[in-house]
Amino acid sequence: MCAGAGGEEGGVFAPREGRSMHDRQQQLTVVSNRLPIVMNRTDDGWDVKPGSGGLVQAMNPILGDTGGCWVGWPGVVAEDGDGWRESVEQMSAEGDYQFEPVVISDEDYRGYYRGFANSVLWPLFHGFPDRCDFDPAFYDAYGRVNQKFAEAVRTCHDEGVLWVQDYHLIQLARRLREQKNPGQIGFFLHIPFPSVENFSKLPWGEEILADLLHYDLIGFQTERDLHNFERCAREAGIRST
């Protein structure tokens, strides 16, 4: 296990020594909770437009150069049917890189996104454990959806670097490793990492730490977040895989 600061503004942790993430010639696959699109139902079907968030603006030129793939939830649930697929596939075909949508049920969306991601991890990582709802059903849904993302990644990603974004997908590297994916997998956390005092309140804390250590490289927003993560791992006795 080795750690290094990424400068005054951020931190980087490299739990899987000996694996380089720096070959810029490799194809890039980005995985995030949402695809870089906005979908709206109209009288004629589905209207699909490009997204405009900060992550989209940062990743679009890179993916355009590598001709890679973006894996994410398209903004619809399984109960909405398949009428949206044609519009998404057309936008993907007209762009510089591929979209790979991950479709989940409304129940799993509520449990994974509204539940574990935003009613457990988000408040806990921001220092508000008293606002968390530690419902085991949320954690189960989180696992099911991370597995669906892993299956979608295998559909479009054969080689190159996989870059996973944020707290919604912490389990993804471990699930890909279980599927014998030997590739390079990086992770960036877009929210703070909590102190030991707060993280220890998470019933699945050791599992979350072990899942993070399946990544080849972990990026944090600040050195404090890096140090919090390192301390949590030490306190839990977690070691890289």
Side-chain angles (χ1 to χ4, degrees):
M1 182 184 296
C2 67
E8 295 184 356
E9 297 301 324
V12 175
F13 189 85
R16 297 169 66 87
E17 296 187 67
R19 300 185 61 86
S20 173
M21 294 285 293
H22 303 297
D23 185 348
R24 296 183 181 180
Q25 301 305 312
Q26 296 186 79
Q27 187 178 53
L28 174 66
T29 297
V30 172
V31 191
S32 66
N33 174 58
R34 287 294 300 265
L35 282 175
I37 57 175
V38 177
M39 299 188 62
N40 294 292
R41 191 191 292 272
T42 70
D43 293 339
D44 298 323
W46 289 92
D47 177 48
V48 183
K49 296 180 179 178
S52 59
L55 182 63
V56 176
Q57 298 301 315
M59 291 294 99
N60 271 344
I62 300 173
L63 282 169
D65 288 342
T66 65
C69 177
W70 193 315
V71 181
W73 180 57
V76 299
V77 294
E79 289 81 355
D80 288 321
D82 289 331
W84 53 269
R85 288 185 181 272
E86 184 176 279
S87 298
V88 173
E89 289 171 357
Q90 180 178 351
M91 175 172 284
S92 178
E94 294 172 351
D96 297 322
Y97 58 89
Q98 178 183 349
F99 294 157
E100 186 61 41
V102 181
V103 183
I104 59 179
S105 69
D106 182 64
E107 179 181 4
D108 276 351
Y109 169 78
R110 286 185 278 110
Y112 145 80
Y113 183 75
R114 296 182 183 175
F116 195 73
N118 287 342
S119 295
V120 178
L121 294 181
W122 196 96
L124 183 74
F125 280 36
H126 281 87
F128 302 107
D130 56 316
R131 300 183 186 179
C132 295
D133 182 357
F134 297 117
D135 186 338
F138 292 163
Y139 186 64
D140 291 343
Y142 187 80
R144 288 193 300 272
V145 173
N146 270 254
Q147 181 60 33
K148 287 184 178 293
F149 271 81
E151 293 164 1
V153 167
R154 286 173 59 87
T155 299
C156 75
H157 180 79
D158 294 323
E159 58 184 14
V161 174
L162 193 69
W163 193 7
V164 181
Q165 307 294 323
D166 225 355
Y167 60 102
H168 312 86
L169 299 168
I170 289 173
Q171 291 184 354
L172 187 56
R174 189 252 300 172
R175 292 181 177 274
L176 289 169
R177 305 288 184 205
E178 290 173 349
Q179 297 174 6
K180 309 303 181 186
N181 185 311
Q184 300 168 314
I185 312 176
F187 178 86
F188 191 83
L189 184 66
H190 294 261
I191 62 174
F193 196 89
S195 66
V196 169
E197 293 73 21
N198 283 329
F199 191 80
S200 64
K201 296 178 172 61
L202 180 63
W204 308 276
E206 289 192 9
E207 290 91 334
I208 291 295
L209 289 170
D211 287 337
L212 282 167
L213 291 176
H214 281 82
Y215 289 95
D216 296 292
L217 196 71
I218 306 169
F220 298 95
Q221 290 183 314
T222 69
E223 288 192 31
R224 176 180 292 180
D225 298 327
L226 167 63
H227 295 155
N228 283 346
F229 172 77
E230 290 178 313
R231 186 181 169 201
C232 287
R234 286 196 302 269
E235 292 284 335
I238 301 294
R239 294 291 182 268
S240 60
T241 55

